[in-house]
Amino acid sequence: MIQVNTNNIAEFVPAAYQASLAQPLAQAHTWLQDASGIGNDFVGWVHLPRDYDKEEFSRIKAAAKKIQQQSTALVVIGIGGSYLGARGVIDALCSPNYNQKKKDTPNIYFAGNTLSADALNEVVELIGEQDFSINVISKSGTTTEPAISFRFFKELCEKKYGKEGARARIYATTDKTHGVLKALADAEGYETFVVPDSVGGRYSVLSAVGLLPIAACGVDIDALMGGAADMMAACAKPGQENPAWQYAAARSALYQSGKKIEILASYEPSFRFMTEWWKQLYGESEGKEGKGLFPASTEFTADLHSMGQYIQQGERLLFETVVRYEKPLTALTVPFDESDGDGLNFLAGKDMSFVNEQAMDGTLLAHVEGGVPNLVIHIGQNTAYTLGELIYFFEYACGLSGYLLGINPFDQPGVESYKKNMFALLGKPGYEDMRAELLEKLSK
């Protein structure tokens, strides 16, 4: 079970911060459990690991097997919450180099998360002559980036396999009853999976949104959901023993003490896209009404050689949260070198996990001494079960944190501003007046 070590924040926050936050945390907890707080239309994720659609779950596993049998490549089309969670899990459990590894499961190519022509064309080139399937993920079907990408890959699929063949290779994860993509999927006969109405995109990785591509990689999604379900049970218990309460309380106390940035760090490169998922989860949930910690991320030890200087001696406006695995999946011993030109024979015979752990401990102490408090989240070995635990833990703590800030953790009104400007500049019908105004501003 996940444990939160708060020892390294003691000198930076009031000693009684947990007691002072007990009542607000209890209220936030009730709002989440009873779906009685602001934004309660989007708390379906709270009990999702228990209440998920079992029939759809079986269809997800069957579709994943079909993809594995039919295709050596799967194109996952989605942006934001429609891809970050799946990519994070796949990288963490199957390796960031998954596509380069020998395996019996299909390569995964992520598209629809950019408007770059070069990036889109590169995915087409990488697929080449491979047999491929498509999983397009969009609640509405009108989000610009995935909608454009789907046009390209749908056309490619139909040219390669014909209309009938493409129908058996395209899977749409979308709204249950409404929307452009749902209508298209029904008209074309694509198999569909549901983006639950009560689950926002950034909380959706444990729904069909994330589960289909994750299962296609061979990840045990029963274990993933099992870990999430056990963490759901732990987080349902009110009180300071609840790890999500501990994390949310510590973040709140550090924020109130003047910290403005939270850096999520791990000493495993495979965790990088989990930090990207975490950044959306917390940034989109908390960053509103002029409030919220700015979520950033680092990959240690690599970033100690680039960001380490700033973290150690820059402005004292940040703190770190470090995800610490119990032990690596593999053992690797530092070899002995007769010449010892690098002076590292004192490490010969030691396991790399030991070296990594000492680097972590030394860094944590140095950063605290430099004025950077840190939290350490201890999880077990890197498995589908423990990652399911961690996903739910972060989700629940995020809901608590948003309510502690006094904001709605489940909307994202600010993201519409750039979309309106983009639509106007692209010449979307109905935006003519705004287009003229924006073009005038850009000409100055």
Side-chain angles (χ1 to χ4, degrees), residues 380-443:
Q381 199 171 32
N382 184 25
T383 66
Y385 178 88
T386 55
L387 202 57
E389 284 187 309
L390 187 66
I391 287 168
Y392 189 88
F393 163 81
F394 274 138
E395 289 180 344
Y396 201 81
C398 186
L400 293 174
S401 295
Y403 282 143
L404 288 179
L405 280 175
I407 50 92
N408 180 352
F410 310 115
D411 66 355
Q412 52 281 337
V415 302
E416 298 304 316
S417 298
Y418 89 88
K419 290 182 181 180
K420 291 176 182 177
N421 285 356
M422 180 179 70
F423 290 151
L425 292 171
L426 287 170
K428 185 174 182 177
Y431 288 78
E432 291 81 5
D433 291 343
M434 180 181 284
R435 173 177 167 79
E437 293 175 7
L438 294 177
L439 287 175
E440 183 178 354
K441 291 180 181 179
L442 289 172
S443 67

Side-chain angles (χ1 to χ4, degrees), residues 56-68:
E56 182 183 57
F57 192 78
S58 296
R59 286 198 301 113
I60 288 169
K61 291 195 282 189
K65 287 184 179 179
K66 182 181 173 184
I67 291 168
Q68 292 168 355

Side-chain angles (χ1 to χ4, degrees), residues 258-405:
K259 301 303 180 185
K260 302 300 181 186
I261 299 170
E262 179 179 11
I263 298 176
L264 185 68
S266 175
Y267 285 71
E268 289 294 336
S270 63
F271 200 75
R272 178 190 165 201
F273 261 90
M274 283 304 300
T275 68
E276 295 297 318
W277 167 80
W278 173 88
K279 284 193 290 189
Q280 185 197 4
L281 178 65
Y282 280 80
E284 209 168 64
S285 296
E286 291 188 309
K288 55 199 72 166
E289 299 180 25
K291 301 176 182 178
L293 287 159
F294 182 84
S297 62
T298 50
E299 178 192 312
F300 291 156
T301 61
D303 286 339
L304 292 175
H305 297 261
S306 57
M307 295 298 293
Q309 173 62 40
Y310 187 95
I311 295 171
Q312 190 69 43
Q313 295 184 325
E315 283 201 57
R316 305 296 76 190
L317 44 62
L318 53 88
F319 71 93
E320 295 171 295
T321 297
V322 178
V323 174
R324 185 167 190 160
Y325 288 110
E326 180 182 294
K327 59 181 179 178
L329 298 172
T330 58
L332 192 64
T333 302
V334 178
F336 176 85
D337 186 279
E338 188 69 36
S339 66
D340 196 27
D342 54 16
L344 293 177
N345 268 352
F346 73 97
L347 295 176
K350 291 183 170 61
D351 196 274
M352 282 296 296
S353 64
F354 171 79
V355 179
N356 202 27
E357 286 170 4
Q358 305 322 300
M360 188 186 312
D361 288 338
T363 302
L364 290 170
L365 291 174
H367 287 176
V368 170
E369 290 168 1
V372 178
N374 47 63
L375 303 164
V376 181
I377 297 172
H378 293 266
I379 64 175
Q381 199 171 32
N382 184 25
T383 66
Y385 178 88
T386 55
L387 202 57
E389 284 187 309
L390 187 66
I391 287 168
Y392 189 88
F393 163 81
F394 274 138
E395 289 180 344
Y396 201 81
C398 186
L400 293 174
S401 295
Y403 282 143
L404 288 179
L405 280 175

